[in-house]
């Protein structure tokens, strides 16, 4: 019972972290889009933030998938 509870808690935490990262990535994406629309060169820092947030989201989604599989195997 405790393992199920721990896995469910971890799933909730990962989902919240992913949502927060997606908000941050959206801000970076907006800055990049504005640069493209304005026909300016995008700032390097914004590109780095976008790539970093995207990579972090992918890692967390992978963990979420693994933990979800573990939880399903218990149930």
């Amino acid at each position: 019972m405790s393992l199920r509870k721990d896995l469910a808690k971890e799933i909730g935490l990962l989902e919240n972290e992913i949502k927060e990262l997606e908000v941050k990535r959206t801000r970076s994406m907006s800055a990049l889009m504005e640069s493209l629309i304005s026909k300016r060169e995008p700032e390097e820092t914004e590109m780095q933030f976008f790539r970093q947030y995207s990579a972090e989201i992918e890692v967390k989604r992978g963990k979420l998938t693994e933990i979800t599989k573990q939880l399903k195997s218990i149930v």
Side-chain angles (χ1 to χ4, degrees):
M1 187 72 164
S2 177
L3 179 59
R4 281 181 32 189
K5 198 174 195 179
D6 290 343
L7 291 175
K9 183 178 179 181
E10 192 168 347
I11 287 171
L13 291 173
L14 282 170
E15 287 174 342
N16 287 335
E17 289 175 6
I18 289 170
K19 286 178 187 176
E20 289 175 15
L21 287 168
E22 286 175 339
V23 168
K24 291 177 182 180
R25 181 174 67 173
T26 300
R27 283 190 224 135
S28 290
M29 192 182 326
S30 296
L32 294 172
M33 290 297 293
E34 180 60 35
S35 295
L36 291 174
I37 292 169
S38 301
K39 297 181 180 181
R40 294 178 305 178
E41 187 68 27
E43 291 184 33
E44 184 64 33
T45 55
E46 288 300 334
M47 291 190 294
Q48 289 174 349
F49 284 136
F50 180 79
R51 289 181 184 127
Q52 176 187 345
Y53 295 139
S54 295
E56 288 180 37
I57 289 169
E58 288 303 314
V59 168
K60 292 194 183 294
R61 283 185 181 156
K63 287 180 184 178
L64 184 61
T65 301
E66 290 175 22
I67 293 170
T68 303
K69 285 179 185 177
Q70 286 179 349
L71 184 61
K72 285 181 180 179
S73 71
I74 293 173
V75 176

